Amino acid sequence: MGHKKGPQAAEASRVLAPNLVKLRRRVALSQEATAERAGLHRGEVAFIEARKRLPRLDTIVKLAGAVEVQPCALLEGMTWRLDSGAEDESK
């Protein structure tokens, strides 16, 4: 089951990646240490920071815990707009 990446996914990735880098560095953690704390592979953290992968909600929660913030801090600055195509699909 493939999912089309729309503008919302691009916006989430655009905001989350630099927030994760900033928050990770604030607590002086490497990607490897962050991944270890979060129970993830270092490559996963690298892909998220490089905007090559958008994490699932549970991964966002794990990363937030690793960098000692609430999950919403990773999405700070994100805006969300209703995709006009979404209205058509619900009819």
Side-chain angles (χ1 to χ4, degrees), residues 28-41:
L29 291 173
S30 64
Q31 287 180 342
E32 187 172 3
T34 302
E36 187 175 311
R37 280 182 161 197
L40 303 169
H41 188 276

Side-chain angles (χ1 to χ4, degrees), residues 19-20 23-24 26-27 60-75:
N19 284 349
L20 177 57
L23 294 167
R24 176 176 62 75
R26 185 190 63 150
V27 290
I60 292 171
V61 172
K62 290 175 183 179
L63 288 167
V67 297
E68 304 171 10
V69 297
Q70 292 296 316
C72 60
L74 290 172
L75 299 174

Side-chain angles (χ1 to χ4, degrees), residues 51-85:
R51 298 176 54 189
K52 293 181 179 178
R53 185 168 296 154
L54 187 61
R56 297 180 335 189
L57 179 58
D58 62 320
T59 302
I60 292 171
V61 172
K62 290 175 183 179
L63 288 167
V67 297
E68 304 171 10
V69 297
Q70 292 296 316
C72 60
L74 290 172
L75 299 174
E76 187 174 323
M78 187 175 128
T79 57
W80 194 265
R81 291 176 192 83
L82 180 62
D83 183 7
S84 61

